[in-house]
């Protein structure tokens, strides 16, 4: 903690020019941070034993949702670059805009290089941004309003110079309530839309930072967050439950520490309003980084201690499982007898009348999004089938399937699905049930959409690969593709219904349970300690009164929620299936196919990849070309702009209109025309209006001439990189400094990026 005090004192002294009473302020910050961390981690230790017991009980009893019809990838699509291209970034140190080459690897950490040449030479990136907790803003006015609200009394007067000026009409700003902000701009509205879709995809992925396969640590952490906030009388959804555990814990600390810092330091900020805003952003970012480091140390210590004690706890649970269950049911019966009359009245008067309205508000945009997923999948497979007919059959199949396999990760093609959730509103109900924002429900539904799209694509891949083993002709292959498509769509419809019903139930619980707990707290919460004596001391780590109380409250409203969702399915609303429709083992051999090795379409069905036409091995130049094509196929989208293109800094100047099509659909049409004409494609401008350097290779449907594969592509999903670069000076604003020479070794870490740079 000494490091924390020295760093904050140094920064604030530098910014404010004060020193007399800084020690007092830093002592308060230290004490508050330590107190929050210790208090939360006690909740986490308590919840760990409960979560471990629930996980083992679930494993033994084998309860769960019906078996999915679609397959899912056991081996994720790693080593992919989701997006690459150029964008202008504002440099806070010299107040200039610079053209940066940027890429998004499969872990969705936005990587910024000095330029494309620096990337090709494997120089260290300028910055790596973990976007968990960020918001994408497309308006400078919107950004200035948020900045003004973050520090009261600093709103700029009319006509004064704002904190940020954008040289074009198409900015993109990454805003975070605590961490530093990032400023970008584009030349055209079309390019702004593309980058906005990409950045939103990064945020969506990074926000979902706790692995879903974490059956003990994940639930224990989220339950501890909820219990801690409820102990502070904070019920309802929380927008900053974003990122991995350390990022979320840092947000939790800053939620309490931030207001205290504003009170202490706000009046001391000097200068014009925009200068005070800039100072506050830097102070908040510095404190957030230090809180992150301190939270990381504390959390890892506690987690290690719990993991070491886990074998002993598991032994007790296995030995005494029946006794623990009996003890918990006895406790639940006593709590139920105490609170049931009050809870039922509360549900009947304050919750039950509103469940149909909430459900309908959720069903409409969610079902539209899943329908769009179905339509996009159908269109892409149908287009591929037409291309197989018109463009040479199986010879091109590997190229087409390589692109189709990445469909769920294509931020532009999936955007039409995601944007269906944007109209989600809980008008009138949001205030009643203390729902701070609907973003948590939007992002959860969007994640389900991507998962279902990938499951449908992977199932199609698996069935088609099996069909290819029969050696079909081109005509037989096209008929098989259509038949497999219809088969997969039926499975998608069933799984889509199951996923949506589960999502609706979870969302309704997430909205109503905090409301009920808050309503019942004045009359029930103070009586809970007396139930502690009903728990045997040996089982106290696996049974908690507070958790059992919440389960009882959940049961009082669950039957109404289940009934509402069931009635919607019976009425066939939004293509929901009735619960009685269960497709048990409808395709028993399908899941056996998924046990094989992952399919490498480029390797197995590449275009003349075996050199069989010439009766021998390909020449070195041909082999290099094939390797390059396969590497490029691993890139989902690439929009590489001319490094020499300038940025119009003159006020009021209009950016040049793009000479190329603005949508992927239009590009597909033009490419199809070129292919049908069997003529080499002409050099075309890029999507952002800058000319492309001439290339001998045609632009693929999903990518333009792409950069070499990056070592970042070899990182496991959900992890950020920690690049050992020289530490920047105090004049730096958070970006990593590139040093000449070869790229230093890269190692992975799970908690090194909290919306901040990964190494300083």
């Amino acid at each position: 903690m000494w490091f924390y005090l020295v760093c904050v004192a140094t920064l604030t002294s530098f910014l404010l020019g004060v020193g007399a009473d800084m020690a007092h302020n830093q002592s308060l910050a230290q004490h508050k941070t330590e107190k929050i961390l210790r208090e939360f981690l006690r909740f986490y230790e308590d919840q760990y034993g409960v979560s471990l017991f629930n996980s083992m009980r679930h494993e033994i009893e084998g309860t769960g949702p019906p078996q999915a019809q679609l397959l899912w990838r056991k081996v994720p699509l790693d080593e992919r670059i989701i997006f690459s291209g150029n964008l202008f970034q504002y440099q806070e140190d010299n107040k200039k805009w610079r053209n940066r080459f940027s890429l998004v690897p499969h872990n969705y950490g936005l990587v910024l290089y000095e330029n494309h040449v620096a990337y090709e030479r494997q120089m260290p990136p300028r910055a790596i941004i973990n976007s968990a907790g960020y918001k994408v803003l497309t308006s400078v006015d919107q950004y200035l309003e948020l900045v003004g609200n973050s520090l009261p009394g600093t709103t700029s007067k009319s006509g004064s110079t704002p904190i940020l000026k954008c040289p074009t009409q198409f900015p993109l700003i990454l805003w975070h309530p605590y961490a530093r902000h990032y400023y970008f701009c584009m030349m055209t509205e079309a390019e702004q839309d593309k980058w906005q879709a990409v950045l939103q995809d990064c945020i969506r992925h990074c926000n979902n930072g706790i692995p879903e396969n974490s059956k003990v640590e994940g639930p224990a952490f989220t339950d501890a967050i909820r219990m801690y906030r409820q102990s502070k009388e904070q019920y309802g959804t929380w927008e900053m439950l974003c990122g991995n555990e350390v990022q979320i814990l840092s947000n939790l600390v800053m939620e309490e520490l931030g207001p205290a810092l504003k009170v202490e330091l706000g009046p001391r900020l000097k200068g014009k309003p925009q200068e005070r805003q800039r100072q506050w952003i830097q102070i908040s970012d510095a404190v957030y980084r230090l809180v992150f480091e301190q939270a990381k140390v504390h959390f890892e210590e506690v987690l290690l201690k719990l993991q070491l004690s886990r074998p002993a706890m598991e032994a007790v649970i296995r030995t005494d499982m029946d006794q623990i269950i009996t003890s918990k049911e006895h406790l639940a019966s006593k709590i139920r007898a105490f609170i049931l009359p009050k809870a039922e009245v509360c549900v009947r008067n304050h919750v039950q009348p509103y469940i149909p309205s909430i459900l309908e508000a959720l069903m409409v945009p969610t079902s539209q999004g899943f329908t769009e997923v179905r339509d996009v999948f159908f269109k892409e497979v149908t287009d591929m089938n037409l291309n197989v007919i018109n463009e040479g059959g199986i010879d091109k199949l590997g190229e087409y399937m390589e692109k189709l396999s990445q469909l769920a990760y294509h931020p532009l093609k999936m955007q039409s699905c995601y944007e269906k959730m944007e109209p989600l509103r809980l008008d009138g109900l949001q205030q009643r049930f203390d729902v701070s924002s609907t973003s948590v429900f939007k992002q959860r539904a969007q994640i389900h959409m991507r998962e279902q799209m990938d499951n449908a694509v992977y199932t199609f891949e698996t069935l088609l690969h099996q069909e290819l083993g029969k050696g079909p002709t081109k005509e037989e292959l096209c008929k098989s593709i259509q038949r497999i498509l219809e088969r997969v769509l039926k499975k998608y419809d069933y799984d889509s219904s199951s996923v949506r019903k589960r999502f609706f139930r979870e969302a309704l619980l997430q909205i109503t349970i905090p409301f009920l707990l808050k309503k019942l707290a004045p009359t029930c919460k103070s009586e809970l300690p007396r139930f502690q004596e009903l728990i045997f001391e040996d089982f106290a780590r696996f049974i908690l009164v507070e958790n059992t109380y919440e389960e009882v409250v959940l049961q009082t409203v669950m039957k109404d929620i289940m009934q509402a969702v069931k009635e919607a399915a019976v009425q066939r609303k939004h293509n929901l299936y009735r619960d009685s429709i269960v497709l048990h083992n409808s395709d028993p051999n399908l899941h056996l196919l998924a046990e094989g090795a992952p399919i490498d379409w480029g390797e197995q069905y590449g275009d003349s990849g075996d050199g069989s036409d010439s009766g021998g091995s390909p020449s070195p130049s041909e082999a290099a070309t094939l390797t390059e094509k396969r590497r490029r196929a691993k890139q989902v989208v690439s929009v590489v702009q001319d490094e020499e293109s300038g940025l119009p800094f003159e006020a009021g100047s209009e950016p040049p209109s793009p000479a190329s099509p603005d949508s992927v659909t239009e590009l597909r049409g033009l490419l199809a025309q070129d292919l049908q004409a069997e003529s080499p494609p002409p050099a075309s401008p890029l999507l952002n209006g800058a000319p492309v350097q001439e290339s001998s290779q045609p632009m693929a449907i999903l990518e333009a001439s792409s950069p070499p594969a990056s070592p970042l592509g070899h990182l496991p999903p959900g992890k950020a990189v920690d690049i050992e670069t020289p530490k920047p000076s105090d004049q730096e604003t958070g970006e990593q400094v590139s040093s000449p020479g070869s790229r230093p070794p890269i190692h992975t870490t799970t908690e090194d990026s909290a919306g901040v740079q990964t190494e300083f």
Side-chain angles (χ1 to χ4, degrees):
M1 211 58 195
W2 175 84
F3 174 72
Y4 175 92
L5 293 176
V6 170
C7 289
V8 176
T10 301
L11 175 69
T12 49
S13 296
F14 169 75
L15 291 174
L16 307 177
V18 298
D21 55 352
M22 281 304 301
H24 174 67
N25 292 334
Q26 303 315 315
S27 178
L28 290 176
Q30 175 197 18
H31 176 73
K32 194 168 188 66
T33 301
E34 287 283 359
K35 179 183 176 183
I36 295 170
L37 291 173
R38 284 198 306 268
E39 191 173 349
F40 167 78
L41 291 171
R42 283 198 298 269
F43 278 94
Y44 182 61
E45 291 185 64
D46 290 342
Q47 293 300 321
Y48 191 89
V50 176
S51 180
L52 179 60
F53 167 74
N54 291 338
S55 175
M56 294 180 66
R57 181 180 181 181
H58 175 81
E59 183 180 339
I60 292 173
E61 295 179 349
T63 56
Q67 182 182 14
Q69 295 299 304
L70 295 172
L71 303 176
W72 55 275
R73 296 184 195 274
K74 293 184 173 63
V75 180
L77 285 175
D78 291 347
E79 302 184 16
R80 294 299 199 271
I81 294 177
I82 302 299
F83 194 90
S84 66
N86 290 74
L87 74 172
F88 290 95
Q89 183 192 16
Y90 180 68
Q91 301 295 111
E92 296 173 89
D93 52 353
N94 57 20
K95 295 181 173 57
K96 293 183 181 297
W97 292 84
R98 290 288 181 264
N99 192 357
R100 299 291 186 216
F101 174 70
S102 311
L103 61 85
V104 179
H106 69 272
N107 61 7
Y108 288 88
L110 178 63
V111 186
L112 303 176
Y113 287 91
E114 188 73 32
N115 48 44
H116 197 192
V117 174
Y119 169 68
E120 289 181 327
R121 292 178 178 175
Q122 298 188 344
M123 296 177 67
R126 288 277 300 179
I128 303 173
I129 305 172
N130 184 310
S131 54
Y134 277 86
K135 290 183 178 179
V136 182
L137 308 178
T138 57
S139 162
V140 173
D141 291 339
Q142 186 183 9
Y143 173 71
L144 296 178
E145 181 181 357
L146 286 172
V147 171
N149 293 337
S150 67
L151 189 63
T154 60
T155 304
S156 301
K157 296 181 181 179
S158 177
S160 62
T161 304
I163 188 175
L164 175 69
K165 281 186 176 180
C166 185
T168 74
Q169 302 176 22
F170 312 108
L172 278 181
I173 302 171
L174 285 177
W175 176 87
H176 193 284
Y178 312 123
R180 68 164 294 184
H181 306 155
Y182 296 90
Y183 313 101
F184 308 104
C185 72
M186 289 75 199
M187 300 291 289
T188 68
E189 184 178 4
E191 195 63 15
Q192 183 192 44
D193 292 341
K194 292 178 178 66
W195 272 107
Q196 183 183 8
V198 172
L199 294 179
Q200 286 176 336
D201 218 20
C202 292
I203 292 171
R204 188 180 301 114
H205 182 91
C206 293
N207 280 351
N208 194 37
I210 300 179
E212 294 191 10
N213 58 3
S214 174
K215 303 301 183 184
V216 178
E217 287 82 0
F221 184 84
T222 53
D223 287 347
I225 289 285
R226 190 183 71 254
M227 293 294 186
Y228 175 84
R229 298 188 79 248
Q230 287 176 184
S231 71
K232 306 295 182 182
E233 304 298 325
Q234 293 174 317
Y235 295 83
T237 57
W238 185 40
E239 274 195 284
M240 294 310 294
L241 191 68
C242 304
N244 58 42
E245 292 88 345
V246 180
Q247 290 171 312
I248 295 170
L249 186 50
S250 302
N251 295 337
L252 188 71
V253 173
M254 290 298 294
E255 186 180 36
E256 297 187 38
L257 185 58
L261 287 175
K262 288 180 185 178
V263 172
E264 290 291 333
L265 301 180
R268 303 170 185 274
L269 298 175
K270 306 299 181 183
K272 296 179 180 179
Q274 60 268 25
E275 184 60 30
R276 297 203 301 273
Q277 290 172 350
R278 187 176 292 109
Q279 291 173 5
W280 173 249
I281 292 171
Q282 293 179 357
I283 292 172
S284 177
D285 174 57
V287 174
Y288 185 63
R289 294 167 186 250
L290 295 169
V291 167
F292 176 85
E293 293 300 326
Q294 195 66 23
K296 179 181 177 182
V297 171
H298 280 68
F299 179 74
E300 288 178 350
E301 287 177 355
V302 172
L303 183 60
L304 178 61
K305 183 178 73 172
L306 291 170
Q307 289 175 339
L308 291 175
S309 64
R310 178 169 175 169
M313 288 193 287
E314 289 179 341
V316 173
I317 293 173
R318 288 192 184 94
T319 304
D320 300 327
M321 175 68 79
D322 292 340
Q323 292 91 325
I324 297 173
I325 293 175
T326 301
S327 179
K328 182 178 179 180
E329 290 176 349
H330 177 66
L331 173 66
S333 66
K334 295 296 183 182
I335 294 177
R336 187 179 297 107
F338 168 66
I339 73 159
L340 193 58
K342 302 173 184 178
E344 287 182 337
V345 170
C346 190
V347 169
R348 185 166 58 250
N349 295 337
H350 301 289
V351 175
Q352 197 178 60
Y354 302 98
I355 288 178
S357 301
I358 300 173
L359 179 58
E360 186 65 24
L362 290 167
M363 281 197 300
V364 173
T366 305
S367 297
Q368 288 175 351
F370 276 85
T371 299
E372 183 69 12
V373 169
R374 189 187 198 277
D375 293 344
V376 170
F377 173 69
F378 175 84
K379 179 181 181 299
E380 291 296 320
V381 175
T382 302
D383 287 352
M384 185 197 73
N385 205 0
L386 292 174
N387 288 335
V388 168
I389 295 174
N390 299 325
E391 303 298 333
I394 299 178
D395 292 341
K396 287 281 187 178
L397 187 63
E399 176 185 340
Y400 298 146
M401 288 303 300
E402 187 77 34
K403 295 171 184 175
L404 183 66
S405 68
Q406 301 168 132
L407 177 59
Y409 305 93
H410 196 302
L412 307 182
K413 291 184 178 180
M414 290 296 295
Q415 182 63 15
S416 64
C417 309
Y418 297 148
E419 65 188 9
K420 298 295 184 183
M421 287 300 300
E422 293 307 316
L424 175 61
R425 299 287 185 273
L426 296 175
D427 296 330
L429 302 172
Q430 200 161 323
Q431 293 75 23
R432 166 177 285 276
F433 290 99
D434 195 22
V435 178
S436 60
S437 171
T438 57
S439 62
V440 62
F441 305 113
K442 293 177 183 178
Q443 291 195 12
R444 191 65 200 154
Q446 290 164 345
I447 289 170
H448 284 314
M449 291 176 196
R450 181 172 62 193
E451 290 173 348
Q452 289 301 297
M453 174 66 88
D454 195 43
N455 291 350
V457 168
Y458 180 60
T459 305
F460 179 85
E461 287 184 69
T462 305
L463 291 171
L464 181 59
H465 188 258
Q466 180 191 39
E467 190 69 22
L468 290 172
K470 303 175 183 178
T473 63
K474 183 167 72 172
E475 291 73 17
E476 292 172 341
L477 175 61
C478 292
K479 292 179 181 179
S480 297
I481 289 174
Q482 184 63 30
R483 186 175 65 253
I484 293 171
L485 173 61
E486 294 173 358
R487 184 176 169 188
V488 172
L489 287 176
K490 290 180 181 179
K491 296 177 181 297
Y492 173 84
D493 290 340
Y494 178 81
D495 280 8
S496 164
S497 174
S498 301
V499 168
R500 281 180 291 144
K501 287 191 293 185
R502 186 169 68 250
F503 167 72
F504 297 148
R505 290 192 291 263
E506 291 173 353
L508 284 167
L509 287 172
Q510 199 169 351
I511 292 170
T512 58
I513 292 298
F515 173 80
L516 285 172
L517 293 174
K518 187 176 182 179
K519 280 282 186 182
L520 295 171
T523 57
C524 297
K525 198 166 184 179
S526 60
E527 299 295 325
L528 294 181
R530 66 186 177 89
F531 293 100
Q532 186 65 39
E533 63 185 23
L534 299 176
I535 303 174
F536 292 118
E537 185 177 353
D538 293 343
F539 304 154
R541 297 202 65 177
F542 315 119
I543 305 174
L544 296 180
V545 171
E546 189 77 19
N547 289 66
T548 308
Y549 164 69
E550 288 196 3
E551 290 177 13
V552 172
V553 173
L554 182 148
Q555 291 165 7
T556 62
V557 72
M558 190 63 183
K559 59 178 181 289
D560 293 310
I561 291 175
M562 295 288 288
Q563 184 62 31
V565 175
K566 181 179 179 180
E567 289 177 358
V570 169
Q571 297 171 16
R572 295 288 293 169
K573 284 187 176 181
H574 308 291
N575 200 30
L576 291 176
Y577 286 9
R578 297 191 306 274
D579 293 341
S580 58
I581 300 178
V582 180
L583 305 181
H584 288 304
N585 296 322
S586 62
D587 207 343
N589 296 323
L590 178 61
H591 288 270
L592 297 177
L593 297 176
E595 301 300 325
I599 304 168
D600 189 334
W601 291 101
E603 184 71 27
Q604 296 183 31
Y605 299 95
D607 188 7
S608 302
D610 56 0
S612 57
D613 292 343
S614 59
S617 300
S619 67
S621 61
E622 291 173 340
T625 302
L626 290 172
T627 301
E628 174 66 10
K629 288 178 67 176
R630 288 166 187 163
R631 182 194 61 72
R632 292 174 63 235
K634 291 181 180 293
Q635 183 146 253
V636 182
V637 189
S638 176
V639 184
V640 183
Q641 141 184 337
D642 186 357
E643 298 287 352
E644 300 300 322
S645 63
L647 185 65
F649 285 90
E650 294 79 17
S653 62
E654 293 293 330
S657 300
S660 64
D662 289 337
S663 69
V664 177
T665 304
E666 293 177 24
L667 283 173
R668 291 182 66 93
L670 291 177
L671 289 168
Q673 293 173 14
D674 292 336
L675 290 171
Q676 290 171 3
E678 295 184 351
S679 60
S684 62
L686 284 169
L687 301 179
N688 54 17
V692 176
Q693 297 177 350
E694 292 191 11
S695 170
S696 60
Q697 295 182 354
M699 180 178 178
I701 292 176
L702 290 183
E703 48 83 32
S705 59
S706 55
S710 167
L712 292 169
H714 298 277
L715 296 174
K719 296 195 176 184
V721 293
D722 187 356
I723 303 180
E724 298 175 355
T725 57
K727 295 185 179 181
S729 66
D730 291 338
Q731 309 304 322
E732 293 288 340
T733 56
E735 290 197 340
Q736 295 172 320
V737 182
S738 299
S739 58
S742 61
R743 177 174 301 175
I746 293 178
H747 59 277
T748 62
T749 178
T750 53
E751 295 90 12
D752 277 4
S753 295
V756 300
Q757 303 315 305
T758 52
E759 180 69 17
F760 281 86

